[in-house]
Amino acid sequence: MAASELPAYGSSKRKKQTRIIVIALLSFGMALLSLCLMLYVSKKKPKREGIILYNPGPIQDFTGSENDDLELPLFRFATIAYATDNFSVKNVLGKGGFGQVYKGILTEGQENKEIAVKRLSANSRQGLHEFKNEVLSISKLQHRNLVKILGCCIQEEERMLIYEYMPNKSLDSFIFDPNRSILIDWPKRFHIINGIARGLLYLHQDSRLRIIHRDLKASNILLDYEMNPKIADFGMARIFGGDETEAKTSRVVGTYGYMPPEYAIDGLFSVKSDVYSFGVLVLEIVSGKRNRGFCHPDHNLNLLGHAWRLYKKARQLELIDKFENESCNPNEVLRSIHEQLCIILWKNINALIPMEAKEKPRA
């Protein structure tokens, strides 16, 4: 047969091969595109792989012997980012001088653990000094009335502290809120006072290192599920070594209204500074009123001056928050007020009230 009469076999074969090659190239291109997309998504939102710890080697922020004493697990940034849903606004628990605090959920085995992540802000009033101070001080502490730190994250420019989550937030959100104050009767308040006292005793006397908190206030007392108090925020804390009992600083830190006069004026601080702050805090817990901003129609005294005035007139029970009246134990309330005014605050009370109000305390 002539070639012109034969079927176009070669042409058909070439077309089939061309189709196979095109399909193969398209499949490869789709696979490559899918792979690129998966890599992009994994970078934006990493997969949850449980609590990922790592050892980054020498940490530039912790040099010398301090680095050897670091006893905290280190978390990867990707782990914390996923736990907080990439630091979502809906997970913000609060904001302070350090930066924002986020709620997060870490996977530990088959269980989820709630955490609070304290993230150092680039515009923070506090900086790396406070971050290092908190890590190095609280990492050595363990007590039921101190907030537990689970670890930290130090990766590139990120600095974060990871704490146990406190569902009832801070004490000030209860005692100073007219709506929530009714939820804590006197037995709960007395339990909180005793818990804070136990935590302070541990810091000052029973821990491996003597630690002065220097910023003890209602917003730095966190409450767990059972309303147990835990002292938090050790960014301003100072570690005392050996027989050191007092120090002086030119950089006064803390919160006005909780500072003793010798610290606010001369920069002198010791365990007595925390005890003074504790005294102010106890009076706030009893009364449900802030020391700073306290206003009374009969005088211009602050809460401490008002409490001292009532004490001299033997009318201390008038200081009690109205929400405690039905549940209060008068003996416990009077003991709390007496201890703060007569033992804790007496050496400094004269610096806080007008001259005409000063009188010697009764025996």
Side-chain angles (χ1 to χ4, degrees), residues 226-244:
E226 299 177 347
M227 298 297 285
N228 295 311
K230 296 179 184 284
I231 301 173
D233 199 342
F234 286 77
M236 307 295 183
R238 172 71 180 268
I239 300 175
F240 275 15
D243 297 329
E244 189 179 10

Side-chain angles (χ1 to χ4, degrees), residues 58-74:
I59 304 172
Q60 294 180 356
D61 290 342
F62 297 86
T63 56
S65 60
E66 288 182 340
N67 192 26
D68 298 333
D69 294 334
L70 187 62
E71 300 175 0
L72 287 177
L74 296 173

Side-chain angles (χ1 to χ4, degrees), residues 204-338:
H204 294 170
Q205 182 173 309
D206 297 334
S207 64
R208 287 187 291 167
L209 300 170
R210 177 174 293 169
I211 295 179
I212 313 301
H213 189 279
R214 293 205 295 173
D215 198 21
L216 191 68
K217 56 184 178 181
S219 60
N220 284 340
I221 305 298
L222 303 182
L223 303 170
D224 67 9
Y225 285 99
E226 299 177 347
M227 298 297 285
N228 295 311
K230 296 179 184 284
I231 301 173
D233 199 342
F234 286 77
M236 307 295 183
R238 172 71 180 268
I239 300 175
F240 275 15
D243 297 329
E244 189 179 10
T245 59
E246 186 178 76
K248 186 173 183 178
T249 180
S250 58
R251 181 173 176 256
V252 175
V253 296
T255 304
Y256 289 109
Y258 295 91
M259 295 181 187
E262 73 272 12
Y263 178 54
I265 298 171
D266 299 320
L268 293 172
F269 65 93
S270 64
V271 294
K272 296 177 182 178
S273 305
D274 280 352
V275 174
Y276 179 92
S277 301
F278 173 67
V280 176
L281 183 54
V282 169
L283 293 178
E284 290 185 331
I285 294 172
V286 170
S287 66
K289 303 288 191 301
R290 295 181 187 271
N291 183 38
R292 292 192 70 191
F294 176 80
C295 181
H296 195 279
D298 297 337
H299 55 72
N300 295 321
L301 302 176
N302 62 10
L303 180 61
L304 301 187
H306 176 62
W308 182 248
R309 187 174 185 175
L310 292 177
Y311 172 73
K312 290 188 299 179
K313 296 179 180 180
R315 294 162 48 191
Q316 302 94 308
L317 292 179
E318 293 181 19
L319 195 65
I320 299 174
D321 191 334
K322 61 182 180 180
F323 297 117
E324 302 172 55
N325 286 332
E326 296 181 0
S327 63
C328 80
N329 181 324
N331 291 330
E332 290 178 346
V333 174
L334 290 173
R335 189 176 72 184
S336 298
I337 297 173
H338 290 177

Side-chain angles (χ1 to χ4, degrees), residues 143-145 191 193-203 206 229:
H143 191 271
R144 62 184 300 178
N145 294 115
H191 171 72
I193 291 172
N194 287 328
I196 299 170
R198 285 192 294 268
L200 270 185
L201 181 64
Y202 172 79
L203 290 175
D206 297 334

Side-chain angles (χ1 to χ4, degrees), residues 15-16 25 56 80 90 149 226 237 247 256 292 298 343 355:
K15 288 181 180 180
K16 187 175 181 180
L25 289 175
I80 304 304
K90 68 180 182 181
I149 188 168
E226 299 177 347
Y256 289 109
R292 292 192 70 191
D298 297 337
I343 300 174
M355 290 295 294

Side-chain angles (χ1 to χ4, degrees), residues 19-35:
R19 283 198 300 269
I20 293 173
I21 293 173
V22 170
I23 292 172
L25 289 175
L26 287 174
S27 300
F28 178 76
M30 290 292 289
L32 184 61
L33 182 61
S34 299
L35 179 61

Side-chain angles (χ1 to χ4, degrees), residues 77 80-81 83-95 98-105 114-121 158-166:
F77 175 79
I80 304 304
T84 58
D85 195 14
N86 205 20
F87 304 99
S88 171
V89 175
K90 68 180 182 181
N91 286 328
V92 174
L93 295 174
K95 186 177 182 180
F98 183 97
Q100 289 186 316
V101 181
Y102 299 85
K103 179 182 178 180
I105 298 179
E114 293 180 313
I115 59 171
V117 180
K118 192 175 179 182
R119 189 183 190 189
L120 177 63
S121 169
E158 291 289 344
R159 304 289 181 269
M160 290 180 283
L161 296 172
I162 294 87
Y163 292 95
E164 60 178 330
Y165 174 64
M166 295 286 105

